[in-house]
């Protein structure tokens, strides 16, 4: 998806012989989306990528969990700070929110995951804290705080926390899409180059830096497809790739590399858009100068986007529009369609006063996911909910 990349050893043309040192042929594998009609990559394996020796069904109950409609309708606040720590970045996912288009989980992982392939859709993992090594058939990406890691559907990979760090858990928001996560079309030229007005560019994206060339026999891979979960055992390690090229591969993008757009008066969230997927968008709210008109109200106005549910994950800085609501770092708010939301009581006056006293910038950092179908509540949302949030706008001005 991002742009053409070639890593390791590949033959001079597509679909010609590439031989191993022992004279045998490497096995070519195409990973592509939309039935040979969109982006793809060609990977060259030492062994056959088709050789499986066992297939076992795996219970999906823990991941799916009971989900319930957000009824009675209410804005909600979930404290991920209160969710349990442990497990890994795949099996340790705690379901917060979901609908037919995506599932949003939180994980506070301490252990390496098993090998995993999600062929039901792309995944986006946003790392709030901690560091992790992402290993895949395409190679390795070192990920840390503020990184979005976008994993194309079908990528066999695993997560290894704590690379170069102590035992700090990797706290991450995990978005599992039913479809593909892309750069917004309006940021790209007809041939896919990032345009000058885009808030990030090719130079900000970090792809895998080289093949892993792992060897092993009888290697288990947890596979999700649209039917459910299975564990396949591969005759040989799927990371036996000597080289690959194409447009389809996992990559990382750090939120600090997003160039915020500011206006003289308040700019709406589409200026912060980072990714898009089927029936959802992802936006990055980053430290930036405040709106600079002399009479500007430098925080959002009350708003009701009738076609969206809005989820906001507060990851750093001081989010002054939510002052007095109980929201802090690690909090997630859900503002559903049917509810007009806006700054907490007194926040507008405080923001205007702050500017008059010399404040010129905000250090808030947040990740927003807007969905065009209602978000249902998962078990982790019920576990981490702050029951008083819905009434916080009716409290007296502090
Ligand atoms: Fe909003």
């Amino acid at each position: 998806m991002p742009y053409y990349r070639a890593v390791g050893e590949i033959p001079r043309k597509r679909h010609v012989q590439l031989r191993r040192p022992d004279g045998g042929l490497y096995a070519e594998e195409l990973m592509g989306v939309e039935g040979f009609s969109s982006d793809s990559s060609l990977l060259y394996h030492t062994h056959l990528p088709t050789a499986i020796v066992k297939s076992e069904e795996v219970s999906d109950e823990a991941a799916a969990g009971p989900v319930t409609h957000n009824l009675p309708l209410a804005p909600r606040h979930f404290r991920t700070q209160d969710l349990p720590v442990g497990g890994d970045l795949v099996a340790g996912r705690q379901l917060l929110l979901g609908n037919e288009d995506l599932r949003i989980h939180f994980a506070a992982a301490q252990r390496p995951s098993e090998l995993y392939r999600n062929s039901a859709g792309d995944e986006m993992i946003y790392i709030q804290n901690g560091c992790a090594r992402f290993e895949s058939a395409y190679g390795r990406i070192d990920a840390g705080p503020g990184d979005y890691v976008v994993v194309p559907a079908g990528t066999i990979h695993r997560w290894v926390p704590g690379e170069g760090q102590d035992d700090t858990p990797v706290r991450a928001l995990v978005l599992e899409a039913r479809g593909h996560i892309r750069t917004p079309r309006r940021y790209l030229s007809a041939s896919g180059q990032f345009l000058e007005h885009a808030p990030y560019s090719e130079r900000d994206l970090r792809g895998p830096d080289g093949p892993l060339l792992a060897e092993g026999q009888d290697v288990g891979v947890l596979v999700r497809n649209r039917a459910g979960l299975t564990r396949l055992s591969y005759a040989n390690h799927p990371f036996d790739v000597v080289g690959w090229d194409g447009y389809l591969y996992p990559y990382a993008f750090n939120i600090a590399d997003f160039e915020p757009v500011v206006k003289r008066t308040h700019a709406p969230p589409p200026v912060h858009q980072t990714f898009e997927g089927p029936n959802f968008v992802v936006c990055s709210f980053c430290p930036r100068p405040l709106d600079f008109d002399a009479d500007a109200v430098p925080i959002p106005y009350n708003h009701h986007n009738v076609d969206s549910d809005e989820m906001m994950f507060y990851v750093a800085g001081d989010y002054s529009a939510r002052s007095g609501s109980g929201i802090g770092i690690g909090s997630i708010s859900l503002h559903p369609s049917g509810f007009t939301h806006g700054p907490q009581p007194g926040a507008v006056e405080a923001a205007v006063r702050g500017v008059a006293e010399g404040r010129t910038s905000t250090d808030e950092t947040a990740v927003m996911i807007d969905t065009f179908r209602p978000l249902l509540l998962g078990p982790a949302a019920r576990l981490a909910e702050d029951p008083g949030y819905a009434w916080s706008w009716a409290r007296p001005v502090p």
Side-chain angles (χ1 to χ4, degrees), residues 316-339:
D318 176 21
Y319 217 88
S320 55
R322 295 271 156 266
S323 175
S325 67
I327 279 177
I329 302 305
S331 289
I332 284 177
S333 61
L334 171 63
H335 296 144
S337 172
F339 170 72

Side-chain angles (χ1 to χ4, degrees), residues 186-231:
R186 67 180 188 278
Y187 294 166
L188 303 174
S189 73
S191 54
Q193 184 179 10
F194 282 78
L195 295 166
E196 279 295 319
H197 76 267
Y200 58 100
S201 77
E202 289 85 350
R203 297 185 195 181
D204 299 314
L205 307 181
R206 291 149 35 220
D209 55 5
L212 291 170
L213 294 173
E215 285 290 337
Q217 279 78 46
D218 211 356
V219 179
V221 178
L222 187 67
V223 176
R224 175 179 297 288
N225 69 357
R226 288 173 206 178
L229 266 185
T230 301
R231 185 169 289 104

Side-chain angles (χ1 to χ4, degrees), residues 269 285 300-301 303-305 310 312 322 335 341-342 368 370:
F285 290 79
Y301 35 83
H303 54 286
H304 182 194
N305 285 322
E310 176 191 303
M312 185 83 88
R322 295 271 156 266
H335 296 144
H341 64 275
M368 188 177 85
D370 266 16

